[in-house]
Amino acid sequence: YLTTNVTLMNNKLPNILANSIGFNAYRLGLLFKRGLIRTLHKYKLSPEQWQILVALNESEKSINQSTLAAITLKDRHSISRIIRKMETTGWVKRTTDKNDSRANLVKMSVEGKRKFPKVKKSLMDAFTPIDSAVSEGDKANFINYCGKMSDTLIKIFPQAD
């Protein structure tokens, strides 16, 4: 819809791009990421760090790093680096799993819990125009469709570790 109205150097996007699910999904992802980066910048958070905080906020228990890697689509080394940075900046606490000394568990720190609502409100305010421009039915259909596409892509291109 939007892509067909976008101009590129005074020309319309080529039909092969404008009509491509992959191109439109990629473009939409970049635009959302741009909004996330701009909004999260003042909190010194990345979109991946925000995903981790949301997962930790919704969980009543600590979450192991492997699960957080799956949520963010990051490999073990990247997620370890991200968690270490979040720990250094006071957002999370990391402990060794009592049942498996090779695994780390992560939970939101007291400071992270205190700051989380403010970051969430900033993001909600930033993305309200998008949310209000789409009907509840369209949102549900879009989320359902994205889930199907994600499942298919994960099967085709599993994460290498």
Side-chain angles (χ1 to χ4, degrees), residues 69-83:
I71 290 168
T72 60
L73 299 177
K74 296 292 182 184
D75 62 53
R76 289 181 303 171
H77 302 293
S78 295
I79 202 70
S80 182
R81 189 177 64 251
I82 292 167
I83 299 289

Side-chain angles (χ1 to χ4, degrees), residues 104-122:
N104 287 316
L105 297 174
V106 182
K107 67 178 181 177
M108 201 179 311
S109 68
V110 172
E111 181 69 8
K113 287 179 183 179
R114 185 185 67 74
K115 294 191 288 188
F116 182 85
K118 186 175 181 179
V119 180
K120 182 179 176 183
K121 182 177 180 340
S122 290

Side-chain angles (χ1 to χ4, degrees), residues 60-103:
E60 295 180 14
K61 302 184 290 184
S62 298
I63 300 176
N64 69 42
Q65 283 187 204
S66 297
T67 300
L68 294 172
I71 290 168
T72 60
L73 299 177
K74 296 292 182 184
D75 62 53
R76 289 181 303 171
H77 302 293
S78 295
I79 202 70
S80 182
R81 189 177 64 251
I82 292 167
I83 299 289
R84 192 171 31 258
K85 183 174 182 179
M86 293 177 76
E87 193 173 31
T88 302
T89 57
W91 283 99
V92 301
K93 293 286 184 191
R94 184 170 32 175
T95 58
T96 303
D97 188 336
K98 293 173 188 164
N99 300 319
D100 182 356
S101 61
R102 299 167 298 162

